[in-house]
């Protein structure tokens, strides 16, 4: 189930399971071997049952920069700021990741391992007394937590995220439960005091130390860090008092944990609401997006906010996604933008918004010259959808430039060059040079009049009757000569193109798709089939059959009882 719904966390749990088996059964090698074999066989069947989504997902993300393995020995040990940051995660409650109070201003790695009320006092009490497999597993995970390289092992050495810490937190919770049930067997009062000293020392270090002469301290928001420190210390004081209440010990601990959970959750919610993109602003954008219509299949909205494209029919020109298409990354790189999880703002470079068919803008007010395509009222506010003159998604180019030559041009001029010319790599030049002429990218300047005239020319070379469906898109062409037809649709493995039901080759140009269209009238169709989906269905079906057979022989009595 985990592999089916979230392969990202599944990988980390497999690594954790390997560590668990090694430490749990290290002194019982025969039992470890037997249980490991059973676990692996069942695991393979389980992964096979999830193949219907796992195989297509893996095939898609292999091209993403985040999937690249990065094993660097310099990452074995943390930087000083990381040591402080990780310590803060265990000693103090969590806070809003976009606006943190100390060490790092913004950090999305989820480095928080604080247990409500008790902190790390109970795990410390356990390892002071025990040296069993549970203590060893906790210490090993704690060691890994402070090593960026070892932490990245939970993601096949691709990323250094602390999102695997929930496994460490679960082990800490198990240990804490054991200690709470047998508090007289462990030095709890002692470790509560040690935990409190650690919190106070950490707070003093934060307020006294600094990275440079210019910085006053490691704290950005003193009031927030003071409140979090206070919550941690009051929680430890509560534990200390609860240990003395023999009759109401469990009730005191339960009530204390509930109170701290309520306080910390409420406080973090308050911190998040200080951000203008949360709360009512977020919901307002969501409701606005829900009313956006697909006004024309040939064009997109000039939207660079994911929220506006979540709930309605609007298709934007920007994406924030951890599984960003490699083709979009290739397109963005030509215009000087590189990111593993977001795409280029096409409005930042003249000519790009026109190239990618970003026709519709959402504004609060209109000018007399604006062409209003739609009017939307949301929460007593009125918005206008205005239409700009841009290129359609599909049109024919009359000339091309080499990608390497374009990269030598100033970034501000690259958009207008790409607007007027097909951008071709050296390896694909021989496929187009006999059809369209070659231009030099140094002959262009980014002025408005030039962009307008180029857009008009591309509109005249537009495909006709363009429409989208759930398998791809279709259009018609009617050209006097052979044309190179460009579609501002990112190329991904799985796309197939047909001219009059005859399959043709797709030429990948600057991350987008082009095809060679003969003269005359033709019907064009692009179909997308998810790579690996069919194979995944077969693997899942076979694995499910093996699972049923296994259950029938292993638990046959239950099946006979049901029948």
């Amino acid at each position: 189930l985990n592999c089916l719904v979230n392969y990202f966390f599944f990988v980390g749990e497999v690594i954790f399971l390997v560590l668990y088996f090694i430490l749990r059964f290290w002194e019982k090698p025969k039992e470890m071997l037997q249980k490991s074999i059973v676990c692996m066989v069942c695991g393979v069947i389980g992964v096979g049952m999830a193949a219907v989504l796992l195989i297509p997902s893996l095939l898609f993300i292999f091209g993403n920069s985040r999937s690249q393995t990065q094993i660097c020995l310099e990452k074995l040990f943390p930087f000083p700021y990381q040591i402080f940051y990780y310590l803060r995660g265990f000693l103090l409650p969590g806070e809003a990741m976009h606006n943190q109070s100390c060490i790092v201003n913004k950090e999305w790695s989820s480095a928080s391992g604080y247990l409500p009320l008790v902190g790390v006092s109970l795990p410390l009490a356990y390892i002071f007394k025990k040296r069993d497999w549970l203590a060893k597993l906790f210490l090993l995970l704690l060691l890994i937590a402070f090593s960026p390289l070892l932490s990245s092992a939970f993601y096949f050495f691709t990323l250094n995220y602390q999102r695997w810490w929930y496994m460490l937190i679960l082990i800490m919770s198990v240990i804490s439960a054991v200690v709470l049930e047998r508090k007289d067997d462990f030095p709890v009062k002692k470790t509560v005091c040690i935990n409190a000293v650690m919190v106070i020392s950490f707070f003093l270090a934060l307020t006294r130390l600094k990275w440079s002469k210019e910085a006053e301290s490691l704290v950005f928001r003193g009031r927030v860090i003071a409140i979090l420190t206070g919550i941690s210390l009051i929680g430890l004081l509560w534990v200390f008092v609860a240990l003395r209440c023999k009759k109401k010990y469990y009730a005191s601990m339960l009530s204390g944990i509930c109170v701290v959970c309520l306080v910390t959750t409420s406080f973090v919610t308050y911190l998040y609401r200080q951000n203008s993109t949360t709360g009512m602003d977020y919901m307002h954008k969501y409701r606005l997006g829900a009313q956006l219509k697909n006004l024309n299949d040939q064009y997109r909205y000039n939207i660079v906010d994911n929220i506006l494209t979540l709930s309605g029919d609007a298709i934007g020109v920007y994406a924030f996604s951890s599984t960003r298409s490699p083709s979009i990354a290739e397109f963005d790189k030509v215009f000087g933008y590189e990111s593993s999880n977001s795409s280029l703002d096409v409005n930042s470079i003249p000519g790009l918004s026109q190239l990618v068919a970003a026709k519709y803008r959402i504004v609060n007010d209109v000018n007399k010259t604006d062409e209003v395509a739609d009017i939307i009222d949301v929460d007593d506010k009125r918005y206008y959808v205005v239409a700009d003159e841009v290129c359609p998604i599909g049109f024919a180019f009359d000339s091309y430039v080499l990608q390497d030559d374009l990269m030598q041009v100033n970034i501000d001029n690259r958009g207008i060059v790409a607007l007027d010319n097909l951008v071709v790599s050296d390896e694909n030049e021989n496929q187009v040079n006999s059809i369209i002429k070659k231009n030099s990218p140094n002959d262009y300047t980014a002025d408005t009049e030039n962009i307008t005239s180029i857009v008009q020319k591309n509109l005249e070379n537009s495909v006709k009757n363009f429409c989208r469906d759930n398998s791809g898109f279709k259009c018609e062409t009617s050209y006097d000569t052979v044309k190179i037809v460009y579609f501002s649709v990112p190329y991904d493995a799985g796309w197939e193109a047909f001219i009059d039901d005859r399959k043709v080759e797709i030429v990948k140009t600057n991350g987008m798709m082009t095809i060679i269209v003969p003269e005359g009238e033709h019907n064009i169709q692009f179909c997308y089939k998810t790579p690996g989906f069919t194979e995944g269905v077969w693997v899942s079906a076979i694995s499910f059959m093996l699972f049923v057979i296994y259950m029938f022989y292993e638990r046959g009595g239950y099946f006979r009882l049901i029948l």
Side-chain angles (χ1 to χ4, degrees):
L1 286 175
N2 186 25
C3 185
L4 186 68
V5 301
N6 196 317
Y7 57 84
F8 181 79
F9 285 104
F10 166 77
V11 173
E13 291 195 355
V14 172
I15 303 299
F16 171 78
L17 197 60
V18 171
L19 297 177
Y20 166 81
F21 263 94
I22 292 175
L23 294 176
R24 180 74 172 85
F25 301 104
W26 180 257
E27 297 179 355
K28 303 174 183 178
K30 184 177 180 180
E31 186 177 359
M32 180 174 69
L33 179 62
Q34 293 174 342
K35 292 183 180 294
S36 298
I37 292 175
V38 174
C39 182
M40 285 188 288
V41 172
C42 293
V44 169
I45 295 176
V47 172
M49 293 168 68
V52 62
L53 288 183
L54 180 64
I55 292 178
S57 298
L58 293 180
L59 290 177
F60 183 80
I61 67 170
F62 279 154
N64 191 288
S65 60
R66 287 192 167 197
S67 65
Q68 297 176 358
T69 301
Q70 303 174 359
I71 302 179
C72 304
L73 289 180
E74 61 263 25
K75 294 183 179 180
L76 181 61
F77 302 102
F79 293 107
Y81 84 90
Q82 290 176 317
I83 297 176
F84 275 85
Y85 187 65
Y86 299 156
L87 281 174
R88 179 245 171 278
F90 287 106
L91 297 176
L92 303 178
E95 56 183 313
M97 291 186 289
H98 72 278
N99 194 18
Q100 298 184 94
S101 59
C102 64
I103 312 298
V104 181
N105 193 8
K106 295 180 181 180
E107 177 63 58
W108 309 98
S109 62
S110 306
S112 183
Y114 172 80
L115 291 184
L117 191 74
V118 301
V120 296
S121 60
L122 302 187
L124 286 177
Y126 189 88
I127 61 174
F128 278 7
K129 191 76 173 180
K130 295 284 188 177
R131 289 295 183 271
D132 58 3
W133 67 270
L134 191 56
K136 293 176 182 178
L137 181 58
F138 167 65
L139 291 173
L140 176 60
L141 293 177
L142 194 62
L143 174 65
I144 295 174
F146 279 83
S147 171
L149 178 61
L150 297 180
S151 287
S152 67
F154 285 93
Y155 311 111
F156 280 151
F157 298 101
T158 56
L159 297 167
N160 174 31
Y161 276 153
Q162 281 66 54
R163 293 171 190 174
W164 67 271
W165 277 20
Y166 71 91
M167 293 178 271
L168 172 57
I169 293 170
L170 288 174
I171 295 300
M172 292 171 62
S173 301
V174 171
I175 291 175
S176 298
V178 173
V179 174
L180 287 175
E181 290 179 347
R182 304 203 305 264
K183 60 183 177 64
D184 295 332
D185 297 337
F186 298 93
V188 181
K189 293 181 181 179
K190 177 181 177 181
T191 54
V192 167
C193 294
I194 293 175
N195 195 168
V197 171
M198 291 172 64
V199 172
I200 295 172
S201 301
F202 184 73
F203 177 78
L204 293 175
L206 286 178
T207 54
R208 296 293 185 270
L209 296 177
K210 53 185 179 180
W211 301 123
S212 63
K213 294 181 179 181
E214 292 76 17
E216 295 182 0
S217 68
L218 306 182
V219 177
F220 304 121
R221 280 160 288 283
R223 182 178 299 178
V224 173
I225 198 66
I227 292 173
L228 295 175
T229 302
I231 292 173
S232 180
L233 292 175
I234 292 173
L236 294 171
L237 179 62
W238 189 303
V239 174
F240 196 87
V241 174
L243 291 172
R244 305 174 67 89
C245 302
K246 295 184 178 181
K247 292 184 179 181
K248 297 183 178 181
Y249 165 65
Y250 285 109
S252 299
M253 291 300 301
L254 178 60
S255 60
I257 291 173
C258 291
V259 168
V260 172
C261 287
L262 181 62
V263 170
T264 53
T265 302
S266 301
F267 186 57
V268 172
T269 302
Y270 167 77
L271 293 177
Y272 268 110
R273 287 190 174 182
Q274 303 307 302
N275 184 6
S276 61
T277 61
T278 58
M280 295 305 296
D281 289 339
Y282 189 101
M283 291 308 301
H284 179 76
K285 290 182 179 180
Y286 189 84
R287 284 190 286 267
L288 172 60
Q291 296 193 41
L292 297 179
K293 304 172 185 176
N294 178 19
L295 299 174
N296 190 326
D297 281 348
Q298 267 275 50
Y299 299 99
R300 304 179 174 98
Y301 279 77
N302 194 340
I303 292 176
V304 292
D305 190 332
N306 274 22
I307 303 173
L308 293 173
T309 57
L310 284 175
S311 52
D313 296 329
I315 298 176
V317 290
Y318 174 85
F320 181 88
S321 173
S322 296
T323 55
R324 190 171 66 127
S325 167
S327 295
I328 295 178
E330 180 181 334
F331 177 87
D332 291 348
K333 188 175 181 180
V334 171
F335 302 100
Y337 182 82
E338 295 189 53
S339 173
S340 62
N341 57 14
S342 63
S343 57
L344 169 69
D345 180 357
V346 295
N347 298 297
S348 62
I349 297 179
L352 274 193
S353 62
Q354 290 82 0
L355 176 64
V356 298
K359 185 178 185 68
Y360 303 108
R361 288 182 294 113
I362 303 171
V363 297
N364 300 105
D365 198 6
V366 293
N367 299 318
K368 293 181 180 180
T369 57
D370 288 333
E371 178 188 343
V372 179
D374 197 10
I375 299 175
I376 301 173
D377 294 313
V378 180
D379 299 335
D380 298 326
K381 292 184 179 180
R382 170 158 289 190
Y383 295 91
Y384 300 90
V385 178
V386 297
D388 296 325
E389 198 81 332
V390 301
C391 300
I393 288 179
F395 63 93
F397 273 115
D398 295 326
S399 58
Y400 75 94
V401 297
L402 291 178
Q403 182 173 312
D404 290 342
D405 293 339
L406 180 62
M407 297 292 286
Q408 306 304 318
V409 177
N410 186 283
I411 290 179
D412 291 335
N413 290 338
R414 291 180 194 175
I416 191 171
V417 176
L419 182 65
D420 196 32
N421 301 274
L422 185 67
V423 181
V424 180
S425 63
D426 290 338
E427 60 187 34
N428 290 332
E429 184 181 11
N430 61 341
Q431 295 178 282
V432 302
N433 58 9
S434 61
I435 302 173
I436 56 179
K437 63 179 181 178
K438 181 179 179 180
N439 279 342
S440 170
N442 297 312
D443 300 333
Y444 292 85
T445 57
D447 60 84
T448 305
E449 292 183 2
N450 200 9
I451 291 175
T452 302
S453 62
I454 294 174
V455 169
Q456 288 297 326
K457 183 187 68 172
N458 291 340
L459 282 170
E460 294 173 2
N461 288 323
S462 171
V463 299
K464 302 176 181 178
N465 300 323
F466 183 95
C467 63
R468 292 192 291 260
D469 55 33
N470 59 1
S471 63
F473 57 90
K474 302 176 183 178
C475 64
E476 298 173 0
T477 60
S478 180
Y479 298 115
D480 296 334
T481 60
V482 179
K483 292 287 187 180
I484 302 291
V485 181
Y486 172 86
F487 295 91
S488 57
V489 177
Y491 174 80
D492 291 311
W495 278 111
E496 293 181 341
F498 300 86
I499 299 179
D500 299 329
D501 297 326
R502 178 176 57 87
K503 187 176 180 180
V504 296
E505 180 184 2
I506 298 175
V507 181
K508 184 180 178 183
T509 56
N510 196 21
M512 303 298 171
M513 297 191 292
T514 58
I515 58 173
I516 301 174
V517 179
E519 61 181 281
E521 296 184 355
H522 298 282
N523 293 316
I524 310 295
Q525 183 175 9
F526 278 76
C527 297
Y528 182 80
K529 295 181 180 179
T530 305
F533 179 73
T534 302
E535 294 83 354
V537 169
W538 279 105
V539 173
S540 292
I542 295 172
S543 300
F544 189 79
M545 290 174 60
L546 293 174
F547 172 71
V548 171
I549 293 171
Y550 168 76
M551 291 299 295
F552 183 81
Y553 283 102
E554 185 72 13
R555 300 289 186 265
Y558 297 122
F559 280 87
R560 288 191 291 271
L561 181 62
I562 294 173
L563 296 175

